[in-house]
PDB file of all heavy atoms in Angstrom:
ATOM      1  N   VAL A 141      -6.748  -1.454   0.209  1.00 97.00           N
ATOM      2  CA  VAL A 141      -7.990  -2.124  -0.171  1.00 97.00           C
ATOM      3  C   VAL A 141      -9.071  -1.113  -0.526  1.00 97.00           C
ATOM      4  O   VAL A 141      -9.746  -1.230  -1.559  1.00 97.00           O
ATOM      5  CB  VAL A 141      -8.462  -3.061   0.954  1.00 97.00           C
ATOM      6  CG1 VAL A 141      -9.859  -3.608   0.666  1.00 97.00           C
ATOM      7  CG2 VAL A 141      -7.471  -4.209   1.133  1.00 97.00           C
ATOM      8  N   LEU A 142      -9.251  -0.104   0.316  1.00 96.00           N
ATOM      9  CA  LEU A 142     -10.305   0.875   0.057  1.00 96.00           C
ATOM     10  C   LEU A 142     -10.065   1.640  -1.240  1.00 96.00           C
ATOM     11  O   LEU A 142     -11.001   1.916  -1.994  1.00 96.00           O
ATOM     12  CB  LEU A 142     -10.416   1.856   1.221  1.00 96.00           C
ATOM     13  CG  LEU A 142     -10.969   1.300   2.540  1.00 96.00           C
ATOM     14  CD1 LEU A 142     -10.978   2.389   3.602  1.00 96.00           C
ATOM     15  CD2 LEU A 142     -12.365   0.734   2.356  1.00 96.00           C
ATOM     16  N   SER A 143      -8.806   1.975  -1.508  1.00 96.00           N
ATOM     17  CA  SER A 143      -8.515   2.771  -2.695  1.00 96.00           C
ATOM     18  C   SER A 143      -8.612   1.942  -3.972  1.00 96.00           C
ATOM     19  O   SER A 143      -9.204   2.380  -4.961  1.00 96.00           O
ATOM     20  CB  SER A 143      -7.138   3.432  -2.583  1.00 96.00           C
ATOM     21  OG  SER A 143      -6.113   2.455  -2.468  1.00 96.00           O
ATOM     22  N   ASN A 144      -8.055   0.746  -3.952  1.00 96.00           N
ATOM     23  CA  ASN A 144      -8.004  -0.050  -5.172  1.00 96.00           C
ATOM     24  C   ASN A 144      -9.284  -0.831  -5.439  1.00 96.00           C
ATOM     25  O   ASN A 144      -9.645  -1.054  -6.602  1.00 96.00           O
ATOM     26  CB  ASN A 144      -6.820  -1.018  -5.115  1.00 96.00           C
ATOM     27  CG  ASN A 144      -5.496  -0.314  -5.256  1.00 96.00           C
ATOM     28  OD1 ASN A 144      -5.094   0.083  -6.346  1.00 96.00           O
ATOM     29  ND2 ASN A 144      -4.806  -0.120  -4.147  1.00 96.00           N
ATOM     30  N   ALA A 145      -9.972  -1.250  -4.398  1.00 96.00           N
ATOM     31  CA  ALA A 145     -11.197  -2.023  -4.590  1.00 96.00           C
ATOM     32  C   ALA A 145     -12.425  -1.131  -4.705  1.00 96.00           C
ATOM     33  O   ALA A 145     -13.365  -1.453  -5.439  1.00 96.00           O
ATOM     34  CB  ALA A 145     -11.378  -3.011  -3.435  1.00 96.00           C
ATOM     35  N   TYR A 146     -12.409   0.002  -3.976  1.00 96.00           N
ATOM     36  CA  TYR A 146     -13.609   0.831  -3.913  1.00 96.00           C
ATOM     37  C   TYR A 146     -13.389   2.270  -4.382  1.00 96.00           C
ATOM     38  O   TYR A 146     -14.318   3.080  -4.327  1.00 96.00           O
ATOM     39  CB  TYR A 146     -14.148   0.833  -2.482  1.00 96.00           C
ATOM     40  CG  TYR A 146     -14.528  -0.553  -1.996  1.00 96.00           C
ATOM     41  CD1 TYR A 146     -13.885  -1.130  -0.907  1.00 96.00           C
ATOM     42  CD2 TYR A 146     -15.506  -1.283  -2.646  1.00 96.00           C
ATOM     43  CE1 TYR A 146     -14.225  -2.403  -0.464  1.00 96.00           C
ATOM     44  CE2 TYR A 146     -15.859  -2.552  -2.214  1.00 96.00           C
ATOM     45  CZ  TYR A 146     -15.209  -3.108  -1.125  1.00 96.00           C
ATOM     46  OH  TYR A 146     -15.544  -4.373  -0.699  1.00 96.00           O
ATOM     47  N   GLY A 147     -12.172   2.584  -4.814  1.00 95.00           N
ATOM     48  CA  GLY A 147     -11.915   3.913  -5.351  1.00 95.00           C
ATOM     49  C   GLY A 147     -11.898   5.022  -4.327  1.00 95.00           C
ATOM     50  O   GLY A 147     -12.011   6.203  -4.678  1.00 95.00           O
ATOM     51  N   TYR A 148     -11.714   4.669  -3.049  1.00 93.00           N
ATOM     52  CA  TYR A 148     -11.725   5.702  -2.018  1.00 93.00           C
ATOM     53  C   TYR A 148     -10.360   6.376  -1.954  1.00 93.00           C
ATOM     54  O   TYR A 148      -9.332   5.706  -1.915  1.00 93.00           O
ATOM     55  CB  TYR A 148     -12.075   5.102  -0.656  1.00 93.00           C
ATOM     56  CG  TYR A 148     -12.555   6.149   0.306  1.00 93.00           C
ATOM     57  CD1 TYR A 148     -13.899   6.505   0.349  1.00 93.00           C
ATOM     58  CD2 TYR A 148     -11.668   6.819   1.134  1.00 93.00           C
ATOM     59  CE1 TYR A 148     -14.343   7.500   1.203  1.00 93.00           C
ATOM     60  CE2 TYR A 148     -12.107   7.811   1.988  1.00 93.00           C
ATOM     61  CZ  TYR A 148     -13.444   8.139   2.023  1.00 93.00           C
ATOM     62  OH  TYR A 148     -13.879   9.126   2.861  1.00 93.00           O
ATOM     63  N   PRO A 149     -10.291   7.704  -1.978  1.00 96.00           N
ATOM     64  CA  PRO A 149      -9.002   8.403  -1.976  1.00 96.00           C
ATOM     65  C   PRO A 149      -8.210   8.124  -0.714  1.00 96.00           C
ATOM     66  O   PRO A 149      -8.685   8.351   0.396  1.00 96.00           O
ATOM     67  CB  PRO A 149      -9.389   9.886  -2.086  1.00 96.00           C
ATOM     68  CG  PRO A 149     -10.816   9.953  -1.661  1.00 96.00           C
ATOM     69  CD  PRO A 149     -11.436   8.639  -2.019  1.00 96.00           C
ATOM     70  N   ALA A 150      -7.018   7.603  -0.901  1.00 96.00           N
ATOM     71  CA  ALA A 150      -6.157   7.277   0.236  1.00 96.00           C
ATOM     72  C   ALA A 150      -4.722   7.188  -0.243  1.00 96.00           C
ATOM     73  O   ALA A 150      -4.459   6.943  -1.423  1.00 96.00           O
ATOM     74  CB  ALA A 150      -6.587   5.952   0.875  1.00 96.00           C
ATOM     75  N   ILE A 151      -3.789   7.402   0.665  1.00 96.00           N
ATOM     76  CA  ILE A 151      -2.364   7.237   0.387  1.00 96.00           C
ATOM     77  C   ILE A 151      -1.826   6.211   1.376  1.00 96.00           C
ATOM     78  O   ILE A 151      -1.765   6.476   2.581  1.00 96.00           O
ATOM     79  CB  ILE A 151      -1.585   8.557   0.528  1.00 96.00           C
ATOM     80  CG1 ILE A 151      -2.097   9.601  -0.465  1.00 96.00           C
ATOM     81  CG2 ILE A 151      -0.086   8.321   0.313  1.00 96.00           C
ATOM     82  CD1 ILE A 151      -1.424  10.956  -0.342  1.00 96.00           C
ATOM     83  N   ALA A 152      -1.469   5.051   0.875  1.00 95.00           N
ATOM     84  CA  ALA A 152      -0.883   4.019   1.722  1.00 95.00           C
ATOM     85  C   ALA A 152       0.630   4.207   1.726  1.00 95.00           C
ATOM     86  O   ALA A 152       1.255   4.255   0.664  1.00 95.00           O
ATOM     87  CB  ALA A 152      -1.245   2.633   1.199  1.00 95.00           C
ATOM     88  N   VAL A 153       1.209   4.310   2.897  1.00 96.00           N
ATOM     89  CA  VAL A 153       2.644   4.585   3.008  1.00 96.00           C
ATOM     90  C   VAL A 153       3.389   3.293   3.299  1.00 96.00           C
ATOM     91  O   VAL A 153       3.326   2.752   4.408  1.00 96.00           O
ATOM     92  CB  VAL A 153       2.924   5.634   4.102  1.00 96.00           C
ATOM     93  CG1 VAL A 153       4.430   5.864   4.253  1.00 96.00           C
ATOM     94  CG2 VAL A 153       2.227   6.942   3.764  1.00 96.00           C
ATOM     95  N   ASP A 154       4.092   2.800   2.280  1.00 94.00           N
ATOM     96  CA  ASP A 154       4.981   1.658   2.471  1.00 94.00           C
ATOM     97  C   ASP A 154       6.414   2.171   2.519  1.00 94.00           C
ATOM     98  O   ASP A 154       6.652   3.381   2.621  1.00 94.00           O
ATOM     99  CB  ASP A 154       4.775   0.612   1.371  1.00 94.00           C
ATOM    100  CG  ASP A 154       5.215   1.124  -0.002  1.00 94.00           C
ATOM    101  OD1 ASP A 154       5.601   2.319  -0.121  1.00 94.00           O
ATOM    102  OD2 ASP A 154       5.185   0.326  -0.952  1.00 94.00           O
ATOM    103  N   THR A 155       7.386   1.266   2.432  1.00 93.00           N
ATOM    104  CA  THR A 155       8.786   1.702   2.535  1.00 93.00           C
ATOM    105  C   THR A 155       9.178   2.620   1.385  1.00 93.00           C
ATOM    106  O   THR A 155       9.941   3.574   1.570  1.00 93.00           O
ATOM    107  CB  THR A 155       9.732   0.489   2.581  1.00 93.00           C
ATOM    108  OG1 THR A 155       9.506  -0.337   1.426  1.00 93.00           O
ATOM    109  CG2 THR A 155       9.489  -0.332   3.840  1.00 93.00           C
ATOM    110  N   HIS A 156       8.670   2.347   0.180  1.00 95.00           N
ATOM    111  CA  HIS A 156       9.008   3.195  -0.976  1.00 95.00           C
ATOM    112  C   HIS A 156       8.432   4.591  -0.811  1.00 95.00           C
ATOM    113  O   HIS A 156       9.132   5.587  -1.005  1.00 95.00           O
ATOM    114  CB  HIS A 156       8.463   2.567  -2.261  1.00 95.00           C
ATOM    115  CG  HIS A 156       9.065   1.251  -2.610  1.00 95.00           C
ATOM    116  ND1 HIS A 156      10.389   1.097  -2.976  1.00 95.00           N
ATOM    117  CD2 HIS A 156       8.516   0.011  -2.644  1.00 95.00           C
ATOM    118  CE1 HIS A 156      10.632  -0.172  -3.227  1.00 95.00           C
ATOM    119  NE2 HIS A 156       9.514  -0.860  -3.028  1.00 95.00           N
ATOM    120  N   VAL A 157       7.157   4.667  -0.471  1.00 97.00           N
ATOM    121  CA  VAL A 157       6.508   5.976  -0.330  1.00 97.00           C
ATOM    122  C   VAL A 157       7.167   6.783   0.782  1.00 97.00           C
ATOM    123  O   VAL A 157       7.438   7.978   0.622  1.00 97.00           O
ATOM    124  CB  VAL A 157       4.999   5.807  -0.064  1.00 97.00           C
ATOM    125  CG1 VAL A 157       4.348   7.165   0.226  1.00 97.00           C
ATOM    126  CG2 VAL A 157       4.314   5.139  -1.256  1.00 97.00           C
ATOM    127  N   GLY A 158       7.440   6.146   1.902  1.00 97.00           N
ATOM    128  CA  GLY A 158       8.098   6.850   3.002  1.00 97.00           C
ATOM    129  C   GLY A 158       9.478   7.352   2.618  1.00 97.00           C
ATOM    130  O   GLY A 158       9.847   8.501   2.921  1.00 97.00           O
ATOM    131  N   ARG A 159      10.253   6.499   1.944  1.00 96.00           N
ATOM    132  CA  ARG A 159      11.609   6.885   1.544  1.00 96.00           C
ATOM    133  C   ARG A 159      11.581   8.059   0.580  1.00 96.00           C
ATOM    134  O   ARG A 159      12.328   9.040   0.747  1.00 96.00           O
ATOM    135  CB  ARG A 159      12.299   5.677   0.894  1.00 96.00           C
ATOM    136  CG  ARG A 159      13.732   5.977   0.424  1.00 96.00           C
ATOM    137  CD  ARG A 159      14.418   4.739  -0.112  1.00 96.00           C
ATOM    138  NE  ARG A 159      13.926   4.326  -1.423  1.00 96.00           N
ATOM    139  CZ  ARG A 159      13.156   3.277  -1.650  1.00 96.00           C
ATOM    140  NH1 ARG A 159      12.728   2.530  -0.645  1.00 96.00           N
ATOM    141  NH2 ARG A 159      12.779   2.956  -2.876  1.00 96.00           N
ATOM    142  N   LEU A 160      10.729   8.001  -0.438  1.00 97.00           N
ATOM    143  CA  LEU A 160      10.688   9.085  -1.417  1.00 97.00           C
ATOM    144  C   LEU A 160      10.128  10.368  -0.824  1.00 97.00           C
ATOM    145  O   LEU A 160      10.575  11.463  -1.176  1.00 97.00           O
ATOM    146  CB  LEU A 160       9.872   8.660  -2.637  1.00 97.00           C
ATOM    147  CG  LEU A 160      10.716   8.048  -3.764  1.00 97.00           C
ATOM    148  CD1 LEU A 160      11.315   6.713  -3.338  1.00 97.00           C
ATOM    149  CD2 LEU A 160       9.897   7.882  -5.027  1.00 97.00           C
ATOM    150  N   ALA A 161       9.168  10.255   0.073  1.00 97.00           N
ATOM    151  CA  ALA A 161       8.624  11.453   0.714  1.00 97.00           C
ATOM    152  C   ALA A 161       9.721  12.207   1.454  1.00 97.00           C
ATOM    153  O   ALA A 161       9.775  13.447   1.412  1.00 97.00           O
ATOM    154  CB  ALA A 161       7.495  11.080   1.662  1.00 97.00           C
ATOM    155  N   ARG A 162      10.600  11.475   2.116  1.00 97.00           N
ATOM    156  CA  ARG A 162      11.693  12.131   2.859  1.00 97.00           C
ATOM    157  C   ARG A 162      12.777  12.640   1.915  1.00 97.00           C
ATOM    158  O   ARG A 162      13.270  13.763   2.067  1.00 97.00           O
ATOM    159  CB  ARG A 162      12.255  11.159   3.900  1.00 97.00           C
ATOM    160  CG  ARG A 162      11.317  10.943   5.086  1.00 97.00           C
ATOM    161  CD  ARG A 162      11.927  10.049   6.147  1.00 97.00           C
ATOM    162  NE  ARG A 162      11.993   8.647   5.704  1.00 97.00           N
ATOM    163  CZ  ARG A 162      11.002   7.771   5.845  1.00 97.00           C
ATOM    164  NH1 ARG A 162       9.853   8.130   6.388  1.00 97.00           N
ATOM    165  NH2 ARG A 162      11.152   6.523   5.431  1.00 97.00           N
ATOM    166  N   ARG A 163      13.163  11.844   0.943  1.00 96.00           N
ATOM    167  CA  ARG A 163      14.211  12.275   0.023  1.00 96.00           C
ATOM    168  C   ARG A 163      13.794  13.496  -0.794  1.00 96.00           C
ATOM    169  O   ARG A 163      14.606  14.372  -1.084  1.00 96.00           O
ATOM    170  CB  ARG A 163      14.579  11.132  -0.919  1.00 96.00           C
ATOM    171  CG  ARG A 163      15.457  10.060  -0.279  1.00 96.00           C
ATOM    172  CD  ARG A 163      15.844   9.008  -1.297  1.00 96.00           C
ATOM    173  NE  ARG A 163      16.706   7.991  -0.728  1.00 96.00           N
ATOM    174  CZ  ARG A 163      17.060   6.872  -1.353  1.00 96.00           C
ATOM    175  NH1 ARG A 163      16.600   6.645  -2.580  1.00 96.00           N
ATOM    176  NH2 ARG A 163      17.857   5.990  -0.768  1.00 96.00           N
ATOM    177  N   LEU A 164      12.529  13.544  -1.180  1.00 97.00           N
ATOM    178  CA  LEU A 164      12.047  14.655  -1.997  1.00 97.00           C
ATOM    179  C   LEU A 164      11.663  15.873  -1.166  1.00 97.00           C
ATOM    180  O   LEU A 164      11.182  16.872  -1.706  1.00 97.00           O
ATOM    181  CB  LEU A 164      10.844  14.203  -2.829  1.00 97.00           C
ATOM    182  CG  LEU A 164      11.165  13.195  -3.939  1.00 97.00           C
ATOM    183  CD1 LEU A 164       9.881  12.607  -4.511  1.00 97.00           C
ATOM    184  CD2 LEU A 164      11.985  13.860  -5.039  1.00 97.00           C
ATOM    185  N   GLY A 165      11.876  15.790   0.132  1.00 96.00           N
ATOM    186  CA  GLY A 165      11.585  16.935   0.989  1.00 96.00           C
ATOM    187  C   GLY A 165      10.110  17.217   1.117  1.00 96.00           C
ATOM    188  O   GLY A 165       9.697  18.364   1.317  1.00 96.00           O
ATOM    189  N   LEU A 166       9.282  16.168   1.048  1.00 97.00           N
ATOM    190  CA  LEU A 166       7.846  16.331   1.221  1.00 97.00           C
ATOM    191  C   LEU A 166       7.426  16.072   2.653  1.00 97.00           C
ATOM    192  O   LEU A 166       6.364  16.506   3.095  1.00 97.00           O
ATOM    193  CB  LEU A 166       7.095  15.377   0.287  1.00 97.00           C
ATOM    194  CG  LEU A 166       7.409  15.532  -1.202  1.00 97.00           C
ATOM    195  CD1 LEU A 166       6.703  14.444  -1.993  1.00 97.00           C
ATOM    196  CD2 LEU A 166       7.004  16.915  -1.699  1.00 97.00           C
ATOM    197  N   SER A 167       8.244  15.356   3.392  1.00 97.00           N
ATOM    198  CA  SER A 167       7.979  15.060   4.802  1.00 97.00           C
ATOM    199  C   SER A 167       9.301  14.793   5.499  1.00 97.00           C
ATOM    200  O   SER A 167      10.225  14.233   4.905  1.00 97.00           O
ATOM    201  CB  SER A 167       7.063  13.839   4.933  1.00 97.00           C
ATOM    202  OG  SER A 167       6.857  13.503   6.287  1.00 97.00           O
TER     203      SER A 167
END
Side-chain angles (χ1 to χ4, degrees):
V141 172
L142 290 178
S143 61
N144 289 284
Y146 299 118
Y148 200 87
I151 299 177
V153 177
D154 67 356
T155 56
H156 296 293
V157 174
R159 180 176 73 253
L160 267 67
R162 287 184 288 273
R163 283 183 179 172
L164 291 169
L166 302 175
S167 177

